[in-house]
Amino acid sequence: MSGKECFEILNKIFQPIHKQNTKEIKGYTIKYGHIIENKEIIDEVLVSYFKEPKSYTTENMCEINSHGGIVVVKKILEICLKNGARLAEPGEFTKRAFLNGRIDLLQAESVIDIINAKSERESKAGIKQLEGAVSKKIGEIKQKILDVMVNIEVAIDYPEYDVDDVTNEQILDMLVKVEDELLRLEKSFDNGKLIREGIKTAIIGKPNAGKSSLLNTILKEERAIVTEYEGTTRDTIEEFANINGIPLQLIDTAGIRQTKDEVEKIGIARSREIAKEADLVIAIFDSTRDLTSEDMEILDLIKGKQSIILLNKMDLGSVLTLTDKRLQDVSENIIKISALKDTGIDELYQKITDLFNLDKINLDTEVVITNVRHRDLIVKATENVKKAKETVKNKMPIDIIAIFIKAILEDLGKITGETVSENIINEIFSKFCLGK
Ligand code: GDP
């Protein structure tokens, strides 16, 4: 519970073993006792006290730790509600922390990212954002603008001083720097996207080429399987593995072959669809046999895509070679592996790492944007920077230039939540789960 009356409500329902006036209980204290209703003990609990302003929401807060189990928890919740509490809206605790000024909007949104993180890197990016790394960066950019804005205001307010020329140069210099930083942030979103959503990877190949074996080998090694669920496209399985901390969303098309009357027929149309959506296509071939017409169709699918060709079953000796022209024509990345004997798999990981510059994504030093809303606002701010630059170059009156510069500040303010509308705030917090 959080809010003015939370201790009052608590006192009605909680009987600590060692009674103490709530006023005397210090923040960050845990007390042991019972939740009571009509003099009957409902459960034995521990209650944590947080005193304003040192709490998640900055308000008085308490947390009741009961024994697990749905019945008891529900009962305690009911008792709280009967005694004057109300259910929190989704994300309301975090929303209060934001409205009370403890964190900015950007930090509040990172809480969702941390909760939904699928990989260690993703949660790390979320934590950095919660700590305020992105807010700090945005703050620095804003400060650069404000420093110059002061001079502009002076020029507008005291036209008798001839500061225009100096200011114009200064403004342009500042705008170029700001544009540079905004573009860098925008670019970091691509990295952020990889971190957040993973590399969508399709494994395609003829029946018996070794798709399932490869998938098993990857998943066995990378013990960090996060989820396993039916793919969005039917008959596919999607799973997550971690390569260098980046989630790889593997789409296995093995299911395609399952229909009995189509045993030796690959669902080319389906594969084409999956390959089209993927960031990376891994085409796997049985290297003990020469390419068939179906294999050629598969090769056709990966033309122009980010792809890796795997020549599987190298342990059996191979007919296909790395220098095969038909393969080289469609992909630069050809690797010999044995899915069964687990050889060549490290080389595959290294290839993926290289292809997506995974090594270069350094979350310890880089500020990464992971949120579409933030990216869109950065793009908007950049457009306004461009417009401002134009007005300066065209020697427009300083008050016109000021309008565009204020627009940039406003865009940036929307990211941290200073200038954002209530509707947007409500929308953002509605994405939270209950109790956060
Ligand atoms: P899929 O139909 O593409 O999913 O192929 P599977 O993974 O089911 O493999 C088909 C057959 O080839 C199975 O009997 C595997 O054990 C075998 N196989 C897969 N990879 C290798 C490999 O690298 N070496 C050898 N010797 N056999 C393999």
Side-chain angles (χ1 to χ4, degrees):
M1 290 189 285
S2 178
K4 267 201 190 69
E5 289 159 51
C6 89
F7 293 143
E8 240 170 75
I9 295 167
L10 182 69
N11 287 341
K12 284 193 252 177
I13 65 172
F14 174 57
Q15 229 164 53
I17 299 300
H18 298 289
K19 290 217 170 74
Q20 202 180 353
N21 190 322
T22 316
K23 284 213 173 70
E24 284 157 21
I25 300 172
K26 290 203 179 83
Y28 304 120
T29 301
I30 297 177
K31 287 191 81 72
Y32 165 67
H34 296 114
I35 296 291
I36 305 280
E37 189 186 42
N38 303 328
K39 301 204 172 106
E40 190 195 334
I41 295 180
I42 303 299
D43 196 11
E44 178 191 43
V45 297
L46 292 171
V47 173
S48 326
Y49 290 78
F50 303 89
K51 294 268 180 108
E52 60 169 29
K54 294 192 169 174
S55 77
Y56 188 70
T57 58
T58 79
E59 299 162 353
N60 280 334
M61 280 185 85
C62 62
E63 283 182 19
I64 302 169
N65 283 266
S66 70
H67 290 109
I70 297 200
V71 176
V72 166
V73 172
K74 245 178 115 176
K75 182 77 194 159
I76 295 174
L77 189 62
E78 236 169 61
I79 297 173
C80 290
L81 296 177
K82 259 191 221 156
N83 284 278
R86 70 160 170 82
L87 273 185
E89 290 158 15
E92 188 171 352
F93 288 95
T94 310
K95 187 179 183 180
R96 286 186 178 210
F98 162 64
L99 292 175
N100 294 331
R102 191 178 70 81
I103 52 176
D104 65 24
L105 195 55
L106 206 104
Q107 290 171 303
E109 287 173 288
S110 69
V111 175
I112 312 182
D113 288 351
I114 294 168
I115 294 167
N116 294 337
K118 285 188 283 299
S119 74
E120 209 173 297
R121 275 208 192 207
E122 192 180 356
S123 79
K124 219 165 146 186
I127 296 278
K128 266 201 90 171
Q129 194 170 316
L130 181 60
E131 280 175 349
V134 185
S135 309
K136 190 166 157 246
K137 186 88 220 159
I138 300 281
E140 283 166 12
I141 297 175
K142 275 170 72 183
Q143 194 53 49
K144 266 200 188 100
I145 302 173
L146 284 169
D147 288 346
V148 175
M149 203 56 202
V150 172
N151 289 343
I152 296 178
E153 300 285 357
V154 172
I156 292 174
D157 293 343
Y158 304 98
E160 62 271 27
Y161 294 110
D162 191 19
V163 287
D164 268 21
D165 284 347
V166 191
T167 320
N168 262 11
E169 216 168 276
Q170 231 183 20
I171 296 171
L172 203 58
D173 187 49
M174 173 276 282
L175 287 173
V176 169
K177 280 194 189 124
V178 166
E179 186 179 19
D180 204 49
E181 299 214 24
L182 288 178
L183 286 175
R184 198 171 315 154
L185 277 181
E186 188 192 332
K187 199 158 172 281
S188 81
F189 180 80
D190 294 339
N191 292 347
K193 186 169 175 285
L194 279 189
I195 292 165
R196 202 176 52 255
E197 291 168 16
I199 302 166
K200 220 170 179 191
T201 308
I203 303 175
I204 62 172
K206 241 178 23 173
N208 278 321
K211 297 181 293 296
S212 309
S213 307
L214 174 68
L215 195 72
N216 287 340
T217 304
I218 294 176
L219 294 180
K220 188 169 69 220
E221 272 192 13
E222 308 294 317
R223 270 161 301 171
I225 308 167
V226 184
T227 41
E228 179 177 340
Y229 56 91
E230 285 286 308
T232 38
T233 340
R234 266 187 53 222
D235 297 342
T236 63
I237 298 168
E238 292 178 22
E239 286 178 274
F240 281 94
N242 267 299
I243 301 268
N244 287 333
I246 302 280
L248 206 62
Q249 187 192 345
L250 291 162
I251 313 160
D252 175 27
T253 57
I256 286 170
R257 68 187 151 148
Q258 298 303 352
T259 34
K260 271 210 183 77
D261 46 347
E262 289 191 355
V263 181
E264 276 301 312
K265 233 178 130 196
I266 172 171
I268 279 284
R270 174 68 51 77
S271 289
R272 177 170 289 127
E273 233 162 72
I274 292 165
K276 202 167 73 194
E277 277 177 28
D279 302 316
L280 170 69
V281 184
I282 296 178
I284 180 165
F285 299 96
D286 180 345
S287 66
T288 63
R289 292 154 193 262
D290 196 10
L291 298 175
T292 62
S293 59
E294 283 166 335
D295 288 324
M296 293 311 289
E297 276 191 76
I298 289 170
L299 283 173
D300 205 43
L301 284 186
I302 62 173
K303 257 185 201 148
K305 286 223 61 125
Q306 187 82 282
S307 65
I308 297 174
I309 290 176
L310 296 180
L311 304 181
N312 190 31
K313 309 192 187 181
M314 65 179 279
D315 53 297
L316 297 178
S318 49
V319 176
L320 294 175
T321 64
L322 295 173
T323 50
D324 194 309
K325 192 88 178 57
R326 294 167 298 178
L327 304 175
Q328 282 182 337
D329 274 351
V330 290
S331 183
E332 289 175 349
N333 315 303
I334 308 170
I335 302 171
K336 279 191 168 183
I337 66 155
S338 167
L340 205 64
K341 299 270 170 0
D342 199 354
T343 34
I345 304 296
D346 284 339
E347 202 184 329
L348 170 65
Y349 291 165
Q350 193 52 50
K351 198 81 213 169
I352 297 172
T353 307
D354 294 345
L355 281 177
F356 290 88
N357 279 323
L358 300 185
D359 280 347
K360 303 232 167 61
I361 304 177
N362 187 348
L363 289 176
D364 295 327
T365 54
E366 208 181 326
V367 177
V368 178
I369 297 284
T370 56
N371 186 302
V372 187
R373 192 184 74 86
H374 305 157
R375 200 271 316 263
D376 290 349
L377 284 164
I378 284 168
V379 170
K380 203 156 162 260
T382 314
E383 278 163 15
N384 279 323
V385 172
K386 288 203 173 92
K387 283 183 197 155
K389 268 168 65 186
E390 280 305 304
T391 51
V392 178
K393 281 181 189 156
N394 293 335
K395 302 239 185 302
M396 300 280 266
I398 195 104
D399 36 353
I400 304 280
I401 300 172
I403 291 172
F404 286 109
I405 295 185
K406 279 189 186 142
I408 305 168
L409 283 172
E410 192 148 310
D411 295 334
L412 296 178
K414 279 182 191 156
I415 296 177
T416 45
E418 291 149 59
T419 52
V420 82
S421 74
E422 202 181 319
N423 284 347
I424 305 261
I425 291 173
N426 288 339
E427 196 189 308
I428 289 168
F429 285 100
S430 70
K431 289 188 207 135
F432 273 70
C433 15
L434 289 170
K436 287 291 178 319

